[in-house]
């Protein structure tokens, strides 16, 4: 991938604008490993091997599931504002009351194979599920804490075991979200100030050593190959504390990736929730995102993103070099809400036809189609606003360019010039791969398209070019 210094400046400035707020709020995004050509030489072969599947997979399913699915956004008859899995914190529910939910947790409709099949139908290649969220409840059998689904609920089954088996059967990778710092159930965990007082007066290392570290060891020892551990909200996570987790991972499963929210260097950068950067970022990164507004199930949240919006976001992210980790929040019975299923399957149908332009694809060599910094308008921080364009996006593979058209250009599409000769162009949706007529000059590439917009968008034009790398 060739990047001009102007593009690089745009990328950097847009990145700083988009993520400055998160950085100042203390959210550690991890130190990423760059995979672009200039940085490839500095990447160890060990790191490249570890990252290989992640760079290929591109699209994953996030699952937030725990006791919070029972109140589903309502406590004692009152709706509680905010994301569903934060209800214990938002309503300041005492541990003694909240933990009684465990006796009611009996998700008899949970079917691991159906969940994994949904991910497969959606075209997703990996699954990341909350093994323990901030409420401290483990949805797997843990010897380190009795506050877990097998020991504390009538359900008694271990969903992670069942998911690991279903993933192995369907050839998807499985990773675990683990809230390493916040644990509102524990007197020494971070976050529960309503029961246990201020965090700075807690014996945080005792909590880490007695619960979080042993539980991460269990996750790595008992469920087969774990593709990644997704740490989150690294409050009080010093370098030394983070290093203890890195050592556990590198000892027990050296191939397992560490996300960007541990508190020290991870294997890739985690962007803010639902935050898609404005421009290309030449590193490994991932955007965790919601299908509605919440992560954990909330019965009143029906603000579903449309399949068209989700497809645009998927393409947008891949064209900027990232991975998309898209969340579902199953109910307390173990059902993934129907609109989530429908919308994900719609994306999957598009991917069945156009997957070649997504899996393992590299970012755009252009950049001008993404938008530009405004010369007139500034954001709240006083910095220039990024004005996004949404007509088309580009992804690449060696010897190929894929143009994703979100706005039908009617008859003719103009692509900025490249030096490589275009050998052939066709629509990925055309099984016959009938060649489209192309006129390539020094200043542009013009591709002839049907007058009529197709019924389903985006349509992807595949261009076969001479040479593996796009030269501009
Ligand atoms: O506090 C969590 C939140 O509940 C959710 O798990 C998200 C997912 O990225 N992470 C934290 C907020 O960024």
């Amino acid at each position: 991938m060739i990047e001009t210094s102007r593009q690089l400046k745009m990328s950097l400035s847009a990145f700083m604008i988009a993520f400055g707020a998160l950085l100042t709020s203390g959210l550690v995004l991890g130190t990423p490993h760059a995979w672009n050509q200039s940085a490839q030489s500095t990447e160890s072969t060990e790191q490249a091997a570890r990252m290989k599947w992640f760079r290929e997979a591109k699209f994953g399913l996030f699952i937030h599931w725990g006791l919070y699915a029972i109140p589903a956004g309502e406590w004692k008859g009152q709706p509680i504002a905010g994301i569903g899995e934060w209800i214990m914190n938002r309503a300041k529910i005492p541990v003694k009351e909240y933990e009684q939910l465990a006796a009611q947790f009996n998700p008899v409709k949970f079917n691991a194979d159906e969940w994994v099949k949904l991910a497969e139908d959606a075209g997703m290649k990996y699954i990341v599920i909350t093994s323990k969220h901030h409420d401290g409840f483990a949805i797997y059998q843990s010897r380190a804490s009795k506050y877990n689904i097998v020991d504390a609920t009538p359900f008694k089954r271990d969903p992670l075991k069942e998911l690991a088996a279903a993933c192995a059967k369907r050839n998807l990778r499985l990773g675990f979200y683990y809230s390493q710092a916040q644990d509102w159930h524990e007197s020494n965990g971070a976050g529960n100030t309503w029961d246990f007082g201020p965090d700075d007066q807690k014996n945080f290392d005792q909590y880490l050593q007695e619960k979080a570290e042993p539980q991460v060891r269990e996750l790595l020892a008992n469920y087969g190959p774990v593709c990644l551990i997704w740490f989150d909200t690294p409050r009080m996570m010093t370098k030394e504390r983070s290093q203890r987790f890195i050592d556990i991972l590198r000892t027990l499963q050296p191939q397992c990736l560490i996300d960007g929210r541990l508190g020290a260097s991870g294997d890739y950068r985690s962007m803010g929730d639902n935050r898609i950067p404005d421009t290309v970022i030449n590193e490994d990164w991932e955007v965790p995102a919601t299908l509605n507004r919440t992560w954990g199930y909330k019965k009143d949240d029906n603000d579903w993103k449309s399949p068209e919006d989700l497809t645009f976001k998927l393409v947008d992210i891949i064209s900027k070099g990232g991975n998309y980790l898209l969340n579902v929040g199953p109910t307390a019975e173990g059902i993934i809400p129907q609109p989530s299923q429908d919308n994900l399957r719609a994306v999957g149908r598009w991917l069945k036809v156009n997957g070649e332009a997504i899996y393992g694809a590299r970012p755009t060599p252009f950049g001008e189609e993404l938008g530009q910094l405004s010369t007139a308008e500034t954001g709240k921080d006083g910095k220039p606003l990024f004005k996004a364009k949404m007509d088309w996006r580009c992804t690449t593979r060696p010897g190929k360019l894929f143009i994703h058209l979100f706005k039908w250009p009617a008859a003719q599409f103009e692509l900025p010039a490249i030096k490589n000769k275009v050998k052939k162009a066709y629509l990925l949706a055309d099984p016959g791969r009938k060649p489209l007529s192309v006129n390539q000059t020094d200043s542009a590439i013009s591709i002839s398209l049907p007058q009529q917009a197709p019924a389903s968008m985006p349509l992807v034009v595949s261009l076969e070019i001479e040479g593996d790398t796009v030269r501009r």
Side-chain angles (χ1 to χ4, degrees), residues 372-442:
Q372 64 214 19
L373 289 171
S374 168
T375 47
E377 290 176 65
T378 51
K380 281 188 199 136
D381 55 4
K383 297 192 173 136
L385 267 187
F386 189 82
K387 307 289 269 186
K389 291 187 194 160
M390 299 171 81
D391 292 356
W392 60 278
R393 289 290 181 266
C394 176
T395 57
T396 69
R397 305 179 80 86
K400 284 192 175 175
L401 278 180
F402 301 100
I403 312 302
H404 306 245
L405 299 169
F406 291 90
K407 187 173 158 221
W408 195 241
Q412 208 72 2
F413 177 73
E414 290 260 310
L415 190 67
I418 56 170
K419 288 185 182 148
N420 314 54
K421 185 173 162 13
V422 176
K423 296 191 290 188
K424 192 180 171 189
Y426 51 85
L427 300 174
L428 280 189
D430 173 10
R433 308 222 146 162
K434 194 166 141 270
L436 299 169
S437 119
V438 177
N439 181 23
Q440 182 169 17
T441 66
D442 286 349

Side-chain angles (χ1 to χ4, degrees), residues 80-145:
I80 306 298
I83 42 185
E85 70 283 5
W86 270 72
I87 193 165
M88 180 178 177
N89 183 302
R90 290 280 156 79
K92 300 287 172 268
I93 304 170
V95 167
K96 288 284 161 254
E97 269 184 55
Y98 186 87
E99 66 184 6
Q100 285 170 26
L101 290 171
Q104 298 168 43
F105 196 59
N106 197 12
V108 287
K109 294 191 178 154
F110 166 70
N111 180 322
D113 195 57
E114 280 174 10
W115 287 16
V116 177
K117 169 91 168 45
L118 171 64
E120 188 183 63
D121 289 350
M124 293 158 152
K125 302 294 182 188
Y126 61 111
I127 295 180
V128 181
I129 182 163
T130 48
S131 59
K132 184 203 81 168
H133 203 267
H134 310 327
D135 66 357
F137 183 74
I139 62 151
Y140 69 97
Q141 182 162 31
S142 170
R143 288 190 200 293
S145 162

Side-chain angles (χ1 to χ4, degrees), residues 27 62 64 83 85-86 130 133-134 177 182 230 232-233 261 273 288 295:
L27 181 59
F62 213 176
H64 275 67
I83 42 185
E85 70 283 5
W86 270 72
T130 48
H133 203 267
H134 310 327
Y177 173 108
Q182 290 202 74
W230 217 96
D232 204 3
T233 62
R261 298 187 183 186
D273 298 348
W295 304 88

Side-chain angles (χ1 to χ4, degrees), residues 146-159:
K146 287 269 172 237
Y147 195 46
N148 75 72
I149 194 162
V150 175
D151 293 314
T153 79
F155 189 55
K156 301 218 172 300
R157 282 159 51 191
D158 181 337

Side-chain angles (χ1 to χ4, degrees), residues 227-432:
C227 69
L228 57 87
I229 299 280
W230 217 96
F231 296 104
D232 204 3
T233 62
R235 297 189 191 173
M236 303 198 286
M237 291 300 295
T238 59
K239 292 268 171 274
E240 191 273 330
R241 287 167 175 156
S242 307
Q243 188 58 46
R244 297 209 295 265
F245 285 98
I246 296 174
D247 293 344
I248 292 169
L249 265 95
R250 295 295 185 246
T251 306
L252 291 179
Q253 292 209 28
Q255 292 307 312
C256 179
L257 302 185
I258 299 171
D259 77 330
R261 298 187 183 186
L262 171 61
S265 273
D267 289 301
Y268 64 87
R269 177 173 280 160
S270 298
M271 296 303 173
D273 298 348
N274 290 304
R275 299 285 196 113
I276 301 176
D278 292 330
T279 56
V280 173
I281 295 180
N282 274 315
E283 293 157 3
D284 296 303
W285 55 274
E286 176 186 65
V287 179
T290 51
L291 282 170
N292 46 354
R293 289 178 181 273
T294 184
W295 304 88
Y297 178 66
K298 250 190 125 172
K299 58 187 164 207
D300 290 340
D301 184 345
N302 289 304
D303 194 6
W304 303 106
K305 295 179 180 91
S306 68
E308 292 74 24
D309 187 18
L310 297 171
T311 310
F312 176 79
K313 287 181 163 70
L314 171 68
V315 175
D316 191 33
I317 289 167
I318 311 307
S319 82
K320 293 168 180 169
N323 280 26
Y324 194 22
L325 185 64
L326 196 46
N327 181 73
V328 294
T331 67
E333 283 190 305
I335 298 289
I336 295 176
Q338 197 58 45
S340 300
Q341 296 198 33
D342 295 345
N343 294 349
L344 289 179
R345 287 204 167 91
V347 176
R349 285 192 290 277
W350 179 85
L351 273 166
K352 271 240 167 316
V353 176
N354 299 290
E356 190 191 341
I358 296 293
Y359 304 117
R362 296 290 171 89
T364 177
F366 302 105
E368 46 268 59
E369 77 278 21
L370 304 175
Q372 64 214 19
L373 289 171
S374 168
T375 47
E377 290 176 65
T378 51
K380 281 188 199 136
D381 55 4
K383 297 192 173 136
L385 267 187
F386 189 82
K387 307 289 269 186
K389 291 187 194 160
M390 299 171 81
D391 292 356
W392 60 278
R393 289 290 181 266
C394 176
T395 57
T396 69
R397 305 179 80 86
K400 284 192 175 175
L401 278 180
F402 301 100
I403 312 302
H404 306 245
L405 299 169
F406 291 90
K407 187 173 158 221
W408 195 241
Q412 208 72 2
F413 177 73
E414 290 260 310
L415 190 67
I418 56 170
K419 288 185 182 148
N420 314 54
K421 185 173 162 13
V422 176
K423 296 191 290 188
K424 192 180 171 189
Y426 51 85
L427 300 174
L428 280 189
D430 173 10

